[in-house]
Amino acid sequence: VHALMGPNGSGKSTLSHVIAGRPGYEVTAGTVRLDGADLLGMKAWERAQAGLFLALQYPIEVPGVTLVDALSEAFSAMGRDPAEVPALVAAEARSVGFDESFLSRALNVDLSGGERKRCEIVQMGALRPRIAVLDEIDSGLDVDALRAVARRVGELSNLAGIGVLAITHYNRLLSELPVSTVHVLSAGRVVATGGPELALELEGTGYVAYEEETGRTSA
């Protein structure tokens, strides 16, 4: 489990979008590989089938499509039995305190921000990707929801071997989700890497020193 931290506008969400294959970006250098496969040469759905999962910072509404419907299609595309989905999703919903009545409703429609974030982790648990990129999964969560989500992410990492890149502004997520490595992104560059103690340092000092290092100033 790695954490990626940094000030607003440093490029954290941009990085997650590029990794996931969102259109509109041009990669001019470097590679992104998953189990030896070059993700940059794949379409977004191909990256998903290869084992990449992105929990969005702002999960969108999908009217007319339930969570079970969406995951059933994903299972079919991966060659897995879609008949497994209802039971898997119900179990994952219980693990993060996600109201099971939402499972038969249109995906994310009329859900609060915190409920949408729980829903993202339900999807992660059902799909069991190789790598999960969690873009500010802690935003919009109260204390109890944060603990439930962080606990389940940690369990999936430990028990299912899922690699996690958790993008966050704050140490509060990392106080619940044990991480091995913390990276600081500023002005599009990784400017520092360390252990969990780096997140504690940032809690006290903020990002000013790293912004000065890259010549960036906060608005």
Side-chain angles (χ1 to χ4, degrees), residues 181-216:
T181 307
V182 175
H183 310 278
V184 179
L185 193 72
S186 183
R189 294 195 298 116
V190 173
V191 295
T193 295
E197 68 281 355
L198 180 55
L200 292 174
E201 173 193 322
L202 293 170
E203 188 78 7
T205 64
Y207 298 105
V208 174
Y210 298 107
E211 291 173 342
E212 292 174 347
E213 179 181 330
T214 56
R216 181 186 183 277

Side-chain angles (χ1 to χ4, degrees), residues 51 80 92 124-132 152-164:
R80 295 172 62 182
E92 290 298 332
M124 173 184 168
L127 291 170
R128 301 294 174 100
R130 295 285 296 119
I131 297 290
R152 187 55 183 155
V153 170
E155 289 172 350
L156 289 168
S157 178
N158 291 328
L159 300 178
I162 299 174
V164 176

Side-chain angles (χ1 to χ4, degrees), residues 6 55 119 178:
C119 184

Side-chain angles (χ1 to χ4, degrees), residues 60-207:
I60 62 171
E61 295 183 357
V62 188
V65 179
T66 68
L67 175 59
V68 170
D69 289 338
L71 289 176
S72 294
E73 289 297 321
F75 269 50
S76 294
M78 293 185 295
R80 295 172 62 182
D81 185 0
E84 299 175 0
V85 170
L88 279 175
V89 169
E92 290 298 332
R94 290 191 292 271
S95 75
V96 293
F98 186 66
D99 191 330
E100 291 184 49
S101 68
F102 295 148
L103 302 180
S104 58
R105 289 168 45 178
L107 183 57
N108 289 328
V109 173
D110 296 329
L111 297 190
S112 69
E115 289 165 341
R116 294 185 185 200
K117 294 305 180 72
R118 292 184 200 241
C119 184
E120 295 286 284
I121 301 306
V122 170
Q123 296 172 60
M124 173 184 168
L127 291 170
R128 301 294 174 100
R130 295 285 296 119
I131 297 290
V133 180
L134 310 180
D135 192 0
E136 295 194 25
I137 197 67
D138 51 329
S139 66
L141 296 181
D142 60 28
V143 173
D144 292 332
L146 176 66
R147 287 173 179 162
V149 164
R151 181 183 65 248
R152 187 55 183 155
V153 170
E155 289 172 350
L156 289 168
S157 178
N158 291 328
L159 300 178
I162 299 174
V164 176
L165 177 62
I167 297 172
T168 184
H169 285 293
Y170 308 110
N171 186 53
R172 72 171 196 144
L173 172 64
L174 308 188
S175 66
E176 303 292 343
L177 176 64
V179 301
S180 59
T181 307
V182 175
H183 310 278
V184 179
L185 193 72
S186 183
R189 294 195 298 116
V190 173
V191 295
T193 295
E197 68 281 355
L198 180 55
L200 292 174
E201 173 193 322
L202 293 170
E203 188 78 7
T205 64
Y207 298 105

